[in-house]
Amino acid sequence: MIKETLAQIEQIGKQTLVAIKEGVDLNAVNDVRVKILGKKGELTAVLKTMGKLSAEERPVIGAKANEIREAVEKAIAERIAELKAFHYENSIKKEAVDVTLPGKRFTLGKSHPMSIVLNELKDIFRFMGYTVVSGPEIEETKYVFDMLNTFEGHPARDEIDTFYINDNVVLRTQTSSVQIRTMLEKKPPIAIISPGRVYRRDEVDATHSPVFHQCEALVVDKGITFADLKGTLEAFMKRLYGSSVKLRFRPHHFPYTEPSAEVDLSCFKCNGTGCSMCKGEGWIEMLGAGIVHPQVLKNCGIDPEIYSGFAFGVGLERITMMRYEIDDLRLLYENDIRFLKQF
Ligand code: DAH
């Protein structure tokens, strides 16, 4: 009986030591502990039978059982220490950062040259007391044409220039439509600018695009004259291009202004002597302008006997290209980072 029990204890000890060595993690090792030394553990079960042993047998078995228990506990403690060290080393390896590797480069975005110029333009006009407003790009013909005195049959209404959505709706060809919307909405005094996209059926080349941007300006009040228009445009252009530039007004025709003018700027590069920028002219065509036609005021319920106004429309691409001496419109739309990061 005693020999058998001793052998049994020995056997449990051997198997247990192997199981501990093979325990892959802390949980596995703990499971072995419970299986052997726990309340219902194998070694515990053997020890429970000691009551049946004789007085001589008991200390022999007890000593063996203790020896095995100590060996098991020692093995468990060692295995746990081993597992912890292994885990620690592993995580150090996994989380290691090679500080000698080059970092990830983040490039900082920049404003598009058109945005830079537009913001500047808004600042200039806000400073002069104007409000910035916007209008729809898909617009009714009555706002783009009819109420701007652009009667049926006017070349600007020709389908060659205009994208028609249906007979009464177009992609606006000019921001002048916002003049009408503004005057229908509020009474004078009015001082607004309205920047935005416009659409025309043009082929893409160095100076044309079917989508481009304009900025409209409208002032209506008592006693507004051509002198106000001239003074405003001069202030505007000098802020953008420097105080030495001169303006030239050439008579022109727009259906919604009378009198109308095209406005040229003395070339800020050659000071008017002629260069590649102004194509030898000394002057650069900048914008259209005029005194608001009395019929346009009437169309919007404003009495032309009491009020008068001026208006102008300028191409944003044009003033941007002039500003930065960009010679091809397409550069503004291609989003080539090498181009954009120069501004
Ligand atoms: N709408 C004109 C164009 O697209 C520009 C223009 C001319 C706007 C005269 C105006 C103006 O407000 O008074 O070419």
Side-chain angles (χ1 to χ4, degrees):
M1 174 72 181
I2 182 162
K3 268 198 181 151
E4 274 166 36
T5 310
L6 280 175
Q8 204 185 346
I9 294 173
E10 197 76 47
Q11 182 64 17
I12 291 172
K14 262 190 207 153
Q15 282 172 356
T16 306
L17 292 181
V18 172
I20 290 168
K21 278 247 169 314
E22 287 172 354
V24 288
D25 56 22
L26 298 182
N27 278 341
V29 174
N30 197 44
D31 287 348
V32 176
R33 183 210 299 276
V34 172
K35 188 165 168 254
I36 306 305
L37 303 177
K39 267 193 194 156
K40 292 178 182 162
E42 286 173 27
L43 193 62
T44 316
V46 175
L47 293 176
K48 276 183 185 161
T49 63
M50 283 194 17
K52 292 179 197 150
L53 300 176
S54 67
E56 303 90 63
E57 286 171 333
R58 214 174 288 151
V60 182
I61 298 294
K64 189 70 192 168
N66 273 335
E67 182 195 318
I68 295 299
R69 196 182 57 218
E70 272 166 27
V72 167
E73 275 169 355
K74 188 164 162 254
I76 286 174
E78 279 169 10
R79 183 62 183 153
I80 285 174
E82 214 173 80
L83 284 172
K84 279 187 177 163
F86 177 73
H87 181 73
Y88 179 66
E89 261 167 43
N90 235 13
S91 61
I92 281 183
K93 264 187 221 152
K94 242 195 271 170
E95 290 158 23
V97 176
D98 183 349
V99 292
T100 64
L101 283 176
K104 278 186 192 155
R105 214 174 273 280
F106 292 99
T107 42
L108 210 55
K110 291 192 92 180
S111 291
H112 191 280
M114 297 256 300
S115 305
I116 298 173
V117 168
L118 176 58
N119 284 335
E120 214 165 305
L121 193 144
K122 285 180 183 171
D123 280 349
I124 293 172
F125 281 96
R126 284 201 188 106
F127 180 75
M128 294 197 278
Y130 289 60
T131 308
V132 181
V133 302
S134 61
E137 291 169 25
I138 299 172
E139 182 60 290
E140 293 179 57
T141 47
K142 69 175 176 191
Y143 296 131
V144 185
F145 299 131
D146 301 88
M147 293 181 79
L148 281 164
N149 217 18
T150 312
F151 43 85
E152 288 277 353
H154 190 282
R157 296 190 69 145
D158 199 317
E159 293 209 17
I160 288 175
D161 295 319
T162 311
F163 291 106
Y164 276 83
I165 292 197
N166 61 40
D167 282 351
N168 303 317
V169 179
V170 297
L171 296 182
R172 67 178 179 187
T173 53
Q174 52 185 3
T175 45
S176 303
S177 51
V178 185
Q179 289 187 23
I180 301 297
R181 286 185 170 270
T182 304
M183 287 190 279
L184 289 175
E185 218 169 78
K186 56 181 278 202
K187 296 301 143 208
I190 291 169
I192 57 114
I193 59 163
S194 183
R197 245 180 302 235
V198 296
Y199 302 83
R200 288 183 196 176
R201 292 168 67 131
D202 278 325
E203 294 293 330
V204 177
D205 64 24
T207 52
H208 292 86
S209 159
V211 188
F212 60 103
H213 299 75
Q214 286 187 333
C215 183
E216 195 76 13
L218 171 73
V219 171
V220 182
D221 202 352
K222 288 178 184 157
I224 296 294
T225 69
F226 208 93
D228 297 301
L229 172 62
K230 284 184 87 170
T232 304
L233 284 176
E234 206 165 299
F236 167 38
M237 287 297 158
K238 287 189 168 173
R239 283 284 299 275
L240 264 186
Y241 294 105
S243 56
S244 61
V245 293
K246 292 192 190 69
L247 298 186
R248 180 172 79 176
F249 288 73
R250 279 182 291 106
H252 199 75
H253 170 77
F254 294 107
Y256 31 88
T257 41
E258 184 58 38
S260 305
E262 269 193 336
V263 182
D264 303 332
L265 190 68
S266 64
C267 182
F268 47 84
K269 199 170 174 198
C270 64
N271 252 325
T273 55
C275 68
S276 63
M277 186 86 189
C278 56
K279 302 195 178 79
E281 295 286 322
W283 295 93
I284 297 166
E285 188 188 316
M286 289 304 287
L287 53 89
I291 292 294
V292 181
H293 196 294
Q295 186 59 46
V296 173
L297 295 177
K298 263 190 226 162
N299 291 346
C300 300
I302 294 173
D303 186 348
E305 297 296 330
I306 302 173
Y307 294 105
S308 55
F310 69 73
F312 62 87
V314 59
L316 285 177
E317 278 79 356
R318 185 153 189 81
I319 51 177
T320 306
M321 288 168 75
M322 292 300 153
R323 176 69 185 274
Y324 293 116
E325 299 181 25
I326 298 165
D327 57 7
D328 193 323
L329 179 72
R330 289 166 288 199
L331 288 166
L332 293 171
Y333 305 132
E334 282 166 354
N335 288 337
D336 185 330
I337 222 95
R338 291 165 303 177
F339 169 74
L340 293 175
K341 70 181 177 193
Q342 298 176 57
F343 302 97

